[in-house]
Amino acid sequence: MGKRGNIHDFTGAEVREGDTIVYSARRGNGVRMTEAVVLETYTEKYKGRVLPMLKVRPTGNESGFVKRASFAIQRIAAEHFAVTVPAEEKVESTV
């Protein structure tokens, strides 16, 4: 059994603020892979279910030939994404 309050990607990596993730985004009639930085993790209640959500800011690195027009903050459902670069954890010095 897992802990409550943690959001994980499909590989089991925990998602935290500052992590870099990759998710699929619609562009016209197609889909492209988009890289983004996680700003916030939260939940929304929809039809009696609690859904994990992410607030992300696209970095501009993505698949496709046409560049992204807007770097606005996006809200995505935390279902189909992967953590590519975990945020650096603060390490306290004992010296």
Side-chain angles (χ1 to χ4, degrees):
M1 302 236 314
K3 296 180 188 178
R4 288 185 178 259
N6 295 336
I7 297 176
H8 299 272
D9 67 359
F10 67 92
T11 63
E14 185 176 351
V15 180
R16 296 182 179 165
E17 294 176 8
D19 286 351
T20 302
I21 65 167
V22 174
Y23 68 98
S24 58
R26 302 268 320 159
R27 184 184 186 291
N29 199 24
V31 177
R32 61 181 168 188
M33 296 304 295
T34 303
E35 185 179 68
V37 175
V38 177
L39 300 177
E40 179 184 359
T41 60
Y42 62 99
T43 58
E44 284 187 2
K45 198 165 191 178
Y46 178 73
K47 292 187 179 180
R49 291 186 167 184
V50 178
L51 302 174
M53 301 289 287
L54 300 174
K55 189 179 284 188
V56 299
R57 173 168 306 182
T59 62
N61 295 331
E62 53 193 36
S63 64
F65 297 109
V66 180
K67 292 193 174 205
R68 176 177 282 274
S70 170
F71 291 95
I73 294 173
Q74 303 289 319
R75 296 178 341 154
I76 62 170
E79 288 186 33
H80 306 291
F81 70 94
V83 175
T84 56
V85 181
E88 295 294 326
E89 295 181 15
K90 293 182 181 177
V91 179
E92 293 183 22
S93 176
T94 58
V95 177

